[in-house]
Amino acid sequence: MAQEVVNSDEVVLGEEIDHVRLITLNRPRHLNVISSKVVSLLAEYLEKWEKDDKAELVIIKGSGRAFSAGGDLKMFYDGRNSKDSCLEVAYRMYWLGYHIHTYKKTQVALVHGISMGGGASLMVPMKFSVVTEKTVFATPEASIGFHTDCGFSYILSHLPGHLGEFFALTGARLNGKELVAAGLATHFVPLEKLSDLEKCLISLNSGDENAVKAAIEEFAMEVQPDEESVLNKQSLIDECFSKDTVAEIIKSFEAESTKEGNGWIGPVLKGLKRSSPTGLRITLRSIREGRKQTLPESLKKEFRLTINILRAIISEDVYEGIRALTIDKDNAPKWNPPSLDNVGDEKIDQVFQLFEEDLELQIPEKEEHRWDGKYENSPYASLKVTD
């Protein structure tokens, strides 16, 4: 088979092996976090291969011990004093998110290790997503003053009951078995068999969905969540996380924590109370809106939220959260406002405010123009040139 490999020092590797295309996220020392360059290369490969009749199957994996830990938080922090320094990468990521969800070729994600936030947006929407006993998923953005993004305000809100609110607000982790049970992954394959599965899929040399599914099932195991899994606590989660406000959710959750057999709630509750009040309020509203939105509507909303949060129009919590977690690593953020009582509805409304139509994320409505709406054709690109 003909094999074309790009520069192995690149942050995303693209290989063309007859009818198979292989993407490797290649920042192992940084847990394959998603930078501006990563997003640009992913978009370039995926558009090229969707339009290439010879390309039938696209496989994506991460190098090292992680799939992807999500967005590059240092990139956001370093840009805090430069106007809209991360607008381009946010625009490109959410625009790409739509194309990943609606991709025309068969995709398989081979996911080991950490798959969090934006990194998981390269896993969950795939036709086939394969996880292992080492896979760890979470959407912990609210805890640092951000919001559940990259399509997850849509994805999580469509989980059964109020699991969406629970995972978005608490950043609770799911393992491989739980991901399959929750419908966020399609197959569980033991890590020791993952490289053999990859070789098998490359040898299959086909994008036929039934053939790909059968190949994966040769390696897959039937799994169930462990007895203590949060997925087995859904009635309690629904009772608490269906409440109207974050404050009421915490109060209800706190009441349940005192009951026999609910010792698991303590650490989760502690994390919830330490999270950014502003981030929690934005996230709850976003998840609730996502339940009634289409995917494009959710992505457009998430783009607005991201830009307004990074512009710090109501709070600088996101930068304080990143500082405490990854810069100074003191894990002692000083939130402003410091409590839920001080985060007014009118402030939250500001973050959700619509942009002028041409400044919204441009998601193509017509199939024949599905790769239109790129950042470079948006007003933001020309504004950047004139700044």
Side-chain angles (χ1 to χ4, degrees), residues 11-12 25 33-46 71 75 88-97 100 122 150:
V11 294
V12 177
L25 304 172
V33 293
I34 298 170
S35 64
S36 183
K37 181 70 171 170
V38 169
V39 177
S40 295
L41 286 169
L42 284 171
E44 186 182 312
Y45 285 131
L46 290 173
M75 170 184 69
E88 179 178 345
V89 66
Y91 187 104
R92 290 186 186 279
M93 187 65 187
Y94 301 148
W95 180 86
L96 178 61
I100 288 172
L122 306 175
C150 291

Side-chain angles (χ1 to χ4, degrees), residues 269-281:
L269 189 61
K270 186 178 178 183
L272 195 55
K273 288 180 172 180
R274 291 186 62 196
S275 297
S276 158
T278 302
L280 290 173
R281 287 213 54 190

Side-chain angles (χ1 to χ4, degrees), residues 358-374:
D358 62 338
L359 295 178
E360 293 280 0
L361 181 69
Q362 300 299 312
I363 293 179
E365 295 177 3
K366 294 185 178 176
E367 207 47 47
E368 62 268 28
H369 301 298
R370 68 180 252 99
W371 290 93
D372 287 359
K374 291 184 173 75

Side-chain angles (χ1 to χ4, degrees), residues 319-368:
Y319 300 118
E320 174 62 5
I322 294 172
R323 179 206 64 74
L325 180 69
T326 66
I327 307 300
D328 297 337
K329 299 181 181 177
D330 57 22
N331 286 312
K334 292 180 173 55
W335 305 125
N336 185 21
S339 68
L340 289 165
D341 296 343
N342 301 121
V343 186
D345 291 347
E346 70 287 349
K347 293 286 188 185
I348 301 301
D349 287 342
Q350 285 180 47
V351 187
F352 282 81
Q353 195 71 38
L354 294 173
F355 291 163
E356 292 178 25
E357 180 55 37
D358 62 338
L359 295 178
E360 293 280 0
L361 181 69
Q362 300 299 312
I363 293 179
E365 295 177 3
K366 294 185 178 176
E367 207 47 47
E368 62 268 28

